[in-house]
Amino acid sequence: MKQWRQTLRRTGAAITVLFLLFALAGAANAQALIPCGKTTGIRLDTDGLIVSGVVEDSPAAKSGIVKGDMIISMNGEKTTDIQSVKKIIQSGDSIIVCAQRNGKNAEYLLQPDKVEEEYRLGLYLRNGIAGIGTITYYDPASGRFGALGHGVYDPDGGGLIQIQGGSLISSSVAEVRKGTKGDPGQLTGIFDASDVTGSIACNTESGIFGTLDDAPEGEALETAANGEAELGDAVILANVSGTQVCTYSIRIDRLYPGAKNGRNMLITVTDPALLKQTGGIVQGMSGSPIIQNGKLIGAVTHVLVNAPEKGYGIFINTMLEAEQKR
């Protein structure tokens, strides 16, 4: 019996040490990040030209190229600007077009049509994409940032946009279109294209990431482990007027720890001032940091169209993992 007790004591000590090691490992994974909440202009440079439209019965339409595809090259020349594409088309010669769809490339042979003394393929093209979003966090140790909490998708249906880089641009919120049932609201920003504040390195399913030129103001908070988020009261930092970032109350209603689509938390805006001004969550607020119990736990990502006071949030660790995998 005495020997059994001694063994139990040693085993208990081992278990205690093991738990302590697990606790220390969890603490080591926590980071000190500055929650931001400031809106920013976002300009993404794509790997090619995005097809925003295809003329019916044109060479492009007959070939199988569709809206949302990305034109990567023509006759082996990389297509990054529309003027160079026009020059290739105006030769009148047949063109081998390399287009990307859902991350896969395919080649098409097109013969331009001559219409009113000009050769045309029947493609409407645009270079890159721009919009407004919210910076979630800044890492003072590395100078890196994370924003949006979700990826930037091609509005023409081409999926997650593949980028070769991009920029953050100084912005301020000029107007808010209040969200109503069935009609999500929106922030309208004023941008200063000459005032670049950071560079974008990647566009992922869980946000955009890059570096800021200057550190934002604010106190760094410890990041929470996914299991630390709990039902109940929390706050978000949001910029819905000018350049001012304010704190607003929300409630976490449900948790979805296994979700992979940026919907780890179902949240409800409870702050009267924010509800009065925006109706809840509006487009442009994606990335607004969520803070609970003094820790950065995640970011706002989506709004429910039929209930603008409700939306979803992503865990902060999901964003950090996406940044590390880039």
Side-chain angles (χ1 to χ4, degrees), residues 12 25 43 58 72 104-105 112 159 181 185-187 221 259 270 287 295:
R43 184 172 63 206
S58 66
I72 303 298
K104 296 181 179 179
N105 293 354
K181 187 175 181 179
Q186 182 177 332
L187 301 179
L221 296 180
T270 57
K295 291 187 177 183

Side-chain angles (χ1 to χ4, degrees), residues 179 185 267 269 278-283 285 300 302-303 308-312:
I267 64 175
V269 174
T278 66
I281 300 168
V282 298
Q283 297 176 74
M285 286 174 61
V300 176
H302 301 81
V303 60
E309 74 281 3
K310 294 181 178 293
Y312 289 98

Side-chain angles (χ1 to χ4, degrees), residues 10-28:
R10 287 197 296 270
T11 304
I15 292 173
T16 301
V17 171
L18 187 61
F19 282 156
L20 178 59
L21 288 175
F22 280 146
L24 290 175

Side-chain angles (χ1 to χ4, degrees), residues 274-301:
L274 187 58
L275 289 169
K276 181 178 180 180
Q277 187 167 5
T278 66
I281 300 168
V282 298
Q283 297 176 74
M285 286 174 61
S286 292
S288 296
I290 303 174
I291 299 169
Q292 187 181 57
N293 298 326
K295 291 187 177 183
L296 177 60
I297 67 169
V300 176
T301 57

Side-chain angles (χ1 to χ4, degrees), residues 228-235 249-255 265-268 270 290-293 297:
E228 290 187 84
E230 59 187 36
L231 303 184
D233 293 337
V235 298
S249 59
I250 66 166
R251 184 182 65 244
I252 299 175
D253 296 323
R254 294 182 185 177
L255 295 171
M265 298 173 272
L266 178 66
I267 64 175
T268 299
T270 57
I290 303 174
I291 299 169
Q292 187 181 57
N293 298 326
I297 67 169

